[in-house]
Amino acid sequence: MEHEIQQFLTYMAAERGASANTISAYRNDLAQLRSYFVEQQGENESTLPPIEEVDAEQLQEYIVHLREQQYAAATVARKVAAVKSLFSYLHGEGLIEVNPAEQLSSPRVGRSLPRTLTVQEVDALLEQPGRWDTPEAARDQAMLEMLYATGMRVSEFVSLDLSSIELQGQRASVRCVGKGRRERLIPIHSAAVAALHHYLQEARPKLARGRREVALFINRRGERLTRQGVWLIIKNYAEAAGISGVTPHTLRHSFATHLLRGAAPLRNVQELMGHANISTTQLYTQLTDEHLRDVYDRAHPRAS
């Protein structure tokens, strides 16, 4: 089973262009499936059934096992999706005659509305780094401005290099690589440009300490900032601003919602967000509708 899983992961990376994060998630979920079969065989890996002998009943029992672990429905659904993708690949490649996962049931998961910040909360968050006069604070100011100005995923953000941005002239922009290795060019507004100029000219050289690091955003050791590092920085500033539950993705959600409330066309927001399907972007219109309802309830003389 290990060999077939590795074949599938290679296919997803090389032919489907799946991101490193997606591959990592598949690897973890499918490793759990393999571990389950090992446990079923009394922890004797040598007696694992060949993958072509795995049947639908065994996979359904695995789903029951996942539910017994009290995973959230969304987590179970993701793990089931990984199993179905694996066996669909194996069947499509002719490595198994029958796809045992074809009729595999998965828990229904409703799409919850994303958490967003108000414009006032964003302002309060972006004000926090200005309370300190350090290279890290200047970097963080540029980082927060950049995330809110572009709506980038954190994985896209930490992958940016110095060559990814263009700050000269009237058309400042950043080029990032998103899911499926699709590139997109995102404009950067003047406040973010000013913060980036200050960071690049004053703060980054002090953080780099002579290292020839190509990453745009670096830590105090002069190395590329990690996703975990970005998450922790945002968490600390959010707590200082009295805002709870803020992640890098919260700024991404806020970016999309605020653009739509400002009457930006849905297709343009889809392009800026890097969504493959417009249905993903349409989720944010529900938040816009809720906002309009609140405005209506507050403003209409007959609204209670």
Side-chain angles (χ1 to χ4, degrees):
M1 185 177 286
E2 179 67 31
H3 175 67
E4 288 83 2
I5 289 174
Q6 189 54 52
Q7 276 185 296
F8 167 68
L9 295 177
T10 301
Y11 160 77
M12 290 298 295
E15 297 190 34
R16 295 292 298 275
S19 69
N21 293 338
T22 299
I23 297 299
S24 178
Y26 272 125
R27 180 179 289 109
N28 292 338
D29 289 339
L30 295 174
Q32 186 172 6
L33 173 69
R34 183 179 180 279
S35 296
Y36 168 78
F37 279 110
V38 170
E39 291 173 3
Q40 294 300 107
Q41 299 299 318
E43 300 189 1
N44 184 358
E45 295 194 30
S46 63
T47 61
L48 269 177
I51 201 161
E52 60 268 20
E53 294 181 9
V54 173
D55 59 31
E57 183 178 352
Q58 288 174 304
L59 292 180
Q60 199 61 55
E61 289 173 354
Y62 173 62
I63 305 307
V64 172
H65 166 74
L66 291 176
R67 287 171 172 156
E68 289 174 346
Q69 305 306 304
Q70 297 186 335
Y71 285 116
T75 301
V76 175
R78 190 198 71 225
K79 293 178 183 295
V80 172
V83 172
K84 295 185 75 165
S85 295
L86 169 66
F87 283 97
S88 176
Y89 160 76
L90 295 174
H91 184 250
E93 292 292 308
L95 299 174
I96 56 177
E97 292 185 8
V98 178
N99 180 359
E102 190 170 10
Q103 302 299 324
L104 202 60
S105 61
S106 178
R108 295 181 64 85
V109 181
R111 299 188 71 179
S112 58
L113 294 178
R115 158 95 159 97
T116 65
L117 302 177
T118 65
V119 173
Q120 293 75 20
E121 286 175 326
V122 171
D123 289 341
L125 178 64
L126 268 57
E127 287 172 1
Q128 297 307 310
R131 298 167 58 189
W132 289 273
D133 184 18
T134 65
E136 290 85 358
R139 175 204 61 200
D140 299 345
Q141 185 73 63
M143 181 185 78
L144 291 174
E145 290 280 5
M146 185 82 152
L147 284 169
Y148 182 56
T150 62
M152 281 189 290
R153 301 175 180 92
V154 68
S155 56
E156 298 168 347
F157 176 81
V158 297
S159 298
L160 294 177
D161 293 332
L162 290 168
S163 59
S164 302
I165 57 171
E166 174 56 61
L167 302 181
Q168 303 303 319
Q170 300 298 313
R171 304 182 67 83
S173 60
V174 57
R175 185 178 300 277
C176 72
V177 180
K179 291 185 176 181
R181 298 178 183 171
R182 294 186 295 270
E183 283 193 1
R184 65 187 190 279
L185 193 67
I186 309 173
I188 312 174
H189 60 65
S190 58
V193 169
L196 281 163
H197 270 304
H198 178 63
Y199 162 64
L200 291 171
Q201 294 170 5
E202 303 295 332
R204 192 180 184 281
K206 296 176 183 177
L207 294 172
R209 298 180 181 181
R211 291 174 61 99
R212 294 185 177 180
E213 174 59 67
V214 299
L216 177 58
F217 287 95
I218 57 179
N219 59 28
R220 64 179 60 187
R221 296 184 300 276
E223 301 167 349
R224 185 182 296 273
L225 205 58
T226 65
R227 288 185 298 160
Q228 294 80 6
V230 172
W231 182 88
L232 185 60
I233 290 168
I234 292 177
K235 177 176 179 287
N236 290 336
Y237 283 127
E239 289 178 352
I243 311 168
S244 61
V246 180
T247 69
H249 229 59
T250 309
L251 286 173
R252 176 171 164 82
H253 295 322
S254 303
F255 166 82
T257 304
H258 295 170
L259 282 180
L260 289 170
R261 287 178 183 171
L266 189 64
R267 285 288 182 187
N268 294 145
V269 176
Q270 177 193 3
E271 293 175 12
L272 291 170
M273 294 286 282
H275 288 154
N277 299 309
I278 199 166
S279 59
T280 307
T281 318
Q282 285 173 326
L283 180 65
Y284 295 100
T285 63
Q286 297 181 45
L287 294 169
T288 304
D289 292 343
E290 285 188 354
H291 172 72
L292 290 175
R293 180 72 202 192
D294 290 341
V295 171
Y296 174 87
D297 287 342
R298 290 196 304 269
H300 196 286
R302 299 286 290 178
S304 57

